[in-house]
């Protein structure tokens, strides 16, 4: 089994050096969180960093029409794809995504120095807008690449300032006409292995530095539009109000209760209020529900129950509510043969499911896919407290190098 004690000091130092070259890009010095959002300044700087690292390793960098970057070691088909993403949620942690990219680059270094030449190309990828923090649709780059999202719908997506995806791509030198599925490129990949920091504490409880993923819970994002009547906070009698904030507040509590009762997860972490004035009754509240569950039936029941309770409360409040599914992903069962092969090759590391979505979940629909997890001692993710020790990260690199050797070099 890959353990911290089996990792050399050299690999730890290699990880530290490459990690330090990236970690300051897009970090807010006050919060410690990252603001690397699709096609913003920090995201573009991260892309430049990746291009430079690929060039330093004589990897051929190719960019598809969707902003996904691919650094090729070798040429041909049936390539082993690895990597992750470099963007973040607002004020997110540094490890979610970048750890997989940095680990892949160091793993390539190790394989080369150990005398390996891949019989199948090894490709390190950086996928665009995985978090969906700017345009609201998670795994946007991989969804566009595989055709999992309609191109016209994607190009019309807007950020919080009203900028469309098409405009953002054009403003950074891309061509919106090239956005969309690329089946020829997808056909060149034989499998995908994504290394990722664990977003939870399962590996801590199992006392393991590295694990293999079994599945991703079904999950999605739903937009709730609550409409009422804007009015004066000082002159409008309480009995005469049609306040959508009340309906929203009730819905937050209802989602929390229903999730706890069913063993699911429900979060309303983003809200927009109009006119958003201290001395005005709101006229409209828009909020987003993130919901996840181990079983699809549980998730369906949760959404149905929360929607029904919000609708009933709106009737009492004299408001209205509309619910729109913005992105919904069914359960992802990772390729069993690939999963078991990796777990065995790594000496019997733990196999565990996750409630977090990933590009690997999207790519699993078009190629055999697997994931490696690296222990997160805090269990915190999507926040500045997200962490992994350098020694555990080095163990993850050794696990990924062994995986790439197993799949591409033998």
């Amino acid at each position: 089994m890959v353990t911290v004690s089996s990792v050399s000091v050299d690999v730890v130092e290699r990880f530290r050096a490459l990690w330090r070259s990236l970690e300051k890009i897009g970090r807010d010095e006050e919060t410690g969180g990252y603001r690397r959002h699709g096609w913003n300044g920090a995201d573009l700087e991260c892309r430049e960093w990746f291009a430079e690292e690929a060039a330093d390793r004589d990897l051929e960098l190719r960019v598809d029409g969707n902003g996904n970057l691919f650094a090729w070691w070798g040429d041909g088909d049936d390539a082993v794809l690895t990597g992750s993403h470099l963007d973040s949620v607002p004020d997110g942690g540094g490890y979610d995504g970048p750890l997989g990219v940095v680990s892949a680059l160091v793993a390539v270094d190790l394989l080369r120095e150990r005398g390996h030449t891949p019989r199948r190309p090894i490709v390190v990828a950086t996928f665009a807008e995985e978090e969906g923090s700017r345009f609201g649709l998670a795994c946007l780059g991989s969804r566009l690449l595989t055709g999992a999202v309609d191109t016209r719908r994607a190009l019309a997506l807007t950020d919080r300032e009203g900028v469309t995806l098409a405009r953002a791509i054009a403003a950074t030198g891309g061509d919106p006409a090239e956005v969309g599925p690329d089946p020829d490129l997808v056909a060149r990949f034989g499998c995908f292995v994504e290394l990722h920091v664990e977003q939870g504490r399962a590996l801590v409880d199992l006392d393991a530095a590295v694990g293999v993923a079994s599945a991703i819970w079904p999950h999605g994002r739903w937009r709730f539009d609550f409409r009422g009547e804007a009015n004066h906070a000082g002159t409008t009698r309480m009995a005469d109000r049609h306040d959508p904030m009340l309906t929203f507040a009730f819905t937050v509590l209802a989602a929390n209760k229903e999730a706890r009762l069913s063993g699911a997860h429900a979060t309303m972490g983003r809200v927009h209020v109009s006119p958003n004035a201290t001395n005005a009754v709101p006229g409209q509240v828009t909020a987003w529900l993130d919901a996840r569950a181990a079983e699809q039936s549980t998730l369906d029941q949760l959404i149905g129950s929360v929607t029904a309770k919000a609708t009933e409360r709106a009737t009492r409040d004299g408001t209205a509510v509309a619910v729109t599914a913005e992105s919904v992903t069914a359960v992802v069962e990772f390729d069993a043969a690939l999963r078991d092969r990796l777990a065995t090759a790594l000496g019997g590391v733990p196999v565990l499911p996750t409630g977090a979505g990933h590009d690997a979940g999207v790519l699993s629909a078009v190629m055999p896919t697997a994931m490696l997890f690296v222990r997160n001692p805090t269990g915190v993710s999507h926040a500045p407290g997200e962490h992994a020790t350098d020694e555990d990260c080095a163990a993850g690199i050794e696990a990924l190098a062994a995986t790439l050797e197993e799949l591409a070099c033998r």
Side-chain angles (χ1 to χ4, degrees), residues 142-380:
S142 57
R143 287 180 192 268
L144 284 166
L145 171 66
T146 60
V149 62
D150 179 74
T151 303
R152 287 180 297 178
R153 176 199 168 198
L155 287 171
L157 292 171
T158 59
D159 64 12
R160 301 184 192 195
E161 282 71 48
V163 177
T164 64
L165 174 63
R167 181 179 166 190
I169 289 175
T172 54
D175 184 356
E178 296 182 358
V179 171
D182 192 338
D184 291 337
L185 176 58
V186 171
R188 298 192 65 189
F189 301 129
C191 64
F192 177 48
V193 179
E194 181 175 7
L195 180 145
H196 205 279
V197 68
E198 188 195 2
Q199 295 169 289
R201 289 180 48 85
L203 290 176
V204 173
D205 296 338
L206 294 169
D207 192 27
V210 179
V212 173
S214 59
I216 297 175
W217 283 10
H219 59 280
R221 301 177 182 185
W222 289 260
R223 189 182 75 245
F224 282 66
D225 291 298
F226 303 94
R227 289 183 172 82
E229 181 179 88
N231 218 324
H232 197 294
T235 61
T236 309
R237 295 181 301 180
M238 300 300 288
D240 294 337
R241 299 186 179 200
H242 303 283
D243 188 349
M245 186 66 81
L246 299 178
T247 317
F248 161 67
F250 176 86
T251 303
V252 173
L253 296 176
N256 176 70
K257 180 178 180 180
E258 293 300 314
R260 289 176 182 272
L261 290 174
S262 62
H265 294 171
T267 307
M268 277 185 150
R270 177 185 169 194
V271 60
H272 176 75
V273 181
S274 178
N276 202 26
T278 304
N279 57 351
V281 177
Q284 181 170 335
V285 177
T286 302
W288 285 261
L289 171 66
D290 180 299
R292 307 163 191 248
E295 304 291 338
Q296 185 66 50
S297 59
T298 304
L299 182 62
D300 293 341
Q301 182 178 1
L302 171 66
I303 298 303
S305 180
V306 173
T307 300
K309 289 180 180 295
T311 302
E312 190 277 332
R313 177 69 193 208
T315 300
R316 285 191 281 153
D317 292 334
T319 60
V321 59
V323 182
T324 304
E326 290 197 336
S327 68
V328 180
T329 302
V331 63
V332 172
E333 297 284 352
F334 288 116
D335 186 86
L338 183 57
R339 176 200 66 204
D340 294 345
R341 182 179 178 183
L342 298 190
T344 299
L346 298 177
V349 297
V351 178
L352 61 154
T354 178
H358 302 280
D359 289 310
V362 175
L363 294 177
S364 69
V366 295
M367 67 185 73
T369 304
M371 290 193 73
L372 302 177
F373 289 135
V374 173
R375 177 167 52 194
N376 178 345
T378 66
V380 173

